[in-house]
Amino acid sequence: MASRRALEGELAVVAGFDDPTASLEQYPTPADVAAHVVHLADLRGDVEGGTVVDLGAGTGMFALGAALRGATRVVGVELDRGALAVARANERRVGARTAVHWVHADATRPPLSRDRVADEGPVTAIMNPPFGAQTGNEHADRAFLETVAALADVSYSVHNAGSREFVEAFAADEGGTVTDAFAATLTLDRTYDHQTSAAADIDAEVFRIEWSGA
């Protein structure tokens, strides 16, 4: 298995959004964070030999990380057609040996079911859902968790710092268990006009959940 640092280097070529939409909270997942999460998932046996689904795939960072690590099948679900076009170009850039199936759909209502994706082994969801920071979009990550609770055996998801109580309670209500939780820092370049700094560090938390009710 290649190192986490090697995976980060491979993902460093992944391009971000051409025209990001603030209401969708479109921020690129940094390569170092994606490599950390995918490497951990691989170490835990949640990537190789199974299906990995990236909900809200954006320009493909997590999906491509899983493809580089030898998942049997990778599915990236994204609502923004422009982002999907960038994701397809990124797939060519990284040269992963596993092809990614890019699906244009609302990630909270994907045209996927447990029966349709489980034929390729265990199902792992890896995602960076919107944090719900925009007015009118509060708790946006809840809908993503509701989707993976019915779809995946295991999920890895990135949330705003301070989300642990919510995530653990939600998982327990849906037949899941948080097995791992760790802090992460997302260093993001200036993306929108309302941002005043050239870059900002966002405190986040990553959770691994095993879903027994899928």
Side-chain angles (χ1 to χ4, degrees):
M1 180 188 298
S3 68
R4 178 192 59 78
R5 188 170 297 277
L7 180 59
E8 179 181 342
E10 291 178 294
L11 292 175
V13 302
V14 173
F17 296 94
D18 287 338
D19 186 20
T21 302
S23 62
L24 296 177
E25 298 188 39
Q26 289 182 325
Y27 297 91
T29 303
D32 62 332
V33 173
H36 188 172
V37 175
V38 173
H39 183 67
L40 173 62
D42 202 10
L43 288 173
R44 296 294 298 266
D46 297 327
V47 175
E48 188 174 5
T51 295
V52 174
V53 179
D54 181 359
L55 296 175
T59 64
M61 186 67 82
F62 277 135
L64 294 170
L68 285 164
R69 278 300 175 89
T72 301
R73 179 169 59 180
V74 181
V75 181
V77 182
E78 173 55 45
L79 181 63
D80 183 352
R81 289 188 184 276
L84 278 179
V86 177
R88 291 188 177 97
N90 283 332
E91 183 179 2
R92 293 189 290 272
R93 286 190 185 95
V94 303
R97 63 182 181 273
T98 300
V100 181
H101 301 277
W102 302 106
V103 178
H104 175 242
D106 183 340
T108 65
R109 295 189 295 273
L112 305 172
S113 67
R114 172 70 183 165
D115 291 342
R116 291 182 65 183
V117 296
D119 59 326
E120 296 288 349
V123 180
T124 298
I126 305 180
M127 61 183 187
N128 182 7
F131 289 172
Q134 297 293 319
T135 301
N137 201 36
E138 294 84 354
H139 309 299
D141 50 353
R142 177 186 292 272
F144 281 74
L145 288 175
E146 289 173 348
T147 301
V148 298
L151 184 66
D153 297 290
V154 175
S155 68
Y156 294 78
S157 53
V158 183
H159 300 262
N160 200 19
S163 297
R164 182 163 186 163
E165 182 177 356
F166 154 66
V167 172
E168 288 182 339
F170 180 91
D173 288 344
E174 298 294 328
T177 302
V178 174
T179 63
D180 301 71
F182 58 91
T185 300
L186 281 63
T187 301
L188 303 176
D189 293 333
R190 184 174 183 268
T191 303
Y192 300 107
D193 291 340
H194 67 267
Q195 295 173 312
T196 57
S197 301
D201 289 340
I202 307 299
D203 293 329
E205 292 174 316
V206 182
F207 301 92
R208 178 184 186 270
I209 305 173
E210 293 182 355
W211 300 99
S212 59

